[in-house]
Structure formats: C-alpha cells, structure tokens
Amino acid sequence: MFKGTTIICVRREKEVAMAGDGQVTLETQVIKSGAKKVRRLSGGNVLAGFAGSTADAMTLLERFEKYLQSHSGNLMRAAVDLVKEWRTDKALRRLEALMLVADRNQTLLLSGAGDILEPDDDVASIGSGAGYALAAARAFLQVSDMSASEIAKRSLQIASEICIYTNDVITLEVIKDE
C-alpha cells in the first residue's frame, strides 16, 4: 500500500471529477501539505492522479503524456503503451506508484504490475485512503443528487478525517460537457 495520498475519480452525468489530497509524508513526518497530485493532460482532455513515490510518479506522468500525444489523446492506447513499458523496462519496473487516469469516456487504474483496470461503476480511487474515499463516494452516488465534483471533494474530506496519510488540502480537476 502506498502511504501518503488519496486520489479519487467520480463520474456523474456529463461530469468527470478527479481530486487528490496534498499531503506528502516521509516516514513519520509530514513534509508538505499542499502538493498537487492531480493534473490535466492532453490539452485538458485527460485527468491524471498519482499515488506513491513523487519522483516515480512524475516520471510516469511525463511518459504517459508523451504516449497521449503520440496516440492523439486516445486514453486506452496510451495506457497500454505506458503499462507495457512500465512492466518491461528494467528501470521503470522498480517505480513505486499507481496512476488513475480519465477522459470524458473512461477511467483507468494503471500499475507497474501490468494492470489496466476499468472500474465497474462510476468511481475509482487509489492510495492510502482509497477505501474510505471509495466508500463515501459510492454512498453519495446512491443517496444524493450531488455533482461529481462535489462527491469527489466531500469523499476526500471524509477520507482525510480517517486516514493519517491524507489531508484536506484538495486539488480538484473537472472535465464537464456543457
């Protein structure tokens, strides 16, 4: 399990929201509280969030963005190429991170073990507080009329109240069809 962050992606109607907390820990100390672990890629059409080692995640984000460019923004093709390289390259194979990526049509969880997972429902999460945020988001989706962005933010706030490696300094990115 990666200690130090929680990323969640929620879909509802024509909105896709990805949120991440800002806490960075080193062993037992909080080193930074406002890190930005959710980014817009491919001209704002793709959202990407990461959990794990920051340097490793930045390396993977850079490579993923190159694959997005070479595949004209096709999320699945870029994900397949990244995971293939991540799993087979000697240096990349040692990277300790997970990525959550999304566009208007799909959400994918990517890992160095070769996984490309598409969630069964409209929510996915990674990181140390993932289970808490996921449970909260699923509940909000079932019993409220909240937007995807409201659900993502509130679910992360709930996770920050439970997980010691997650804080309430939240970065939120949204793709919304008008």
Side-chain angles (χ1 to χ4, degrees), residues 69-91:
Q69 289 171 353
S70 70
H71 293 300
S72 303
N74 185 306
L75 188 72
M76 183 60 83
R77 288 183 66 199
V80 167
D81 282 354
L82 175 68
V83 168
K84 193 184 308 179
E85 181 184 11
W86 190 356
R87 187 167 182 210
T88 58
D89 183 273
K90 275 187 176 182

Side-chain angles (χ1 to χ4, degrees), residues 8 130-141 151 154-156 158-159:
I8 189 160
Y132 309 121
L134 182 68
R138 284 183 176 166
F140 286 132
L141 281 167
I151 291 171
R154 187 65 189 117
S155 297
L156 231 112
I158 290 169

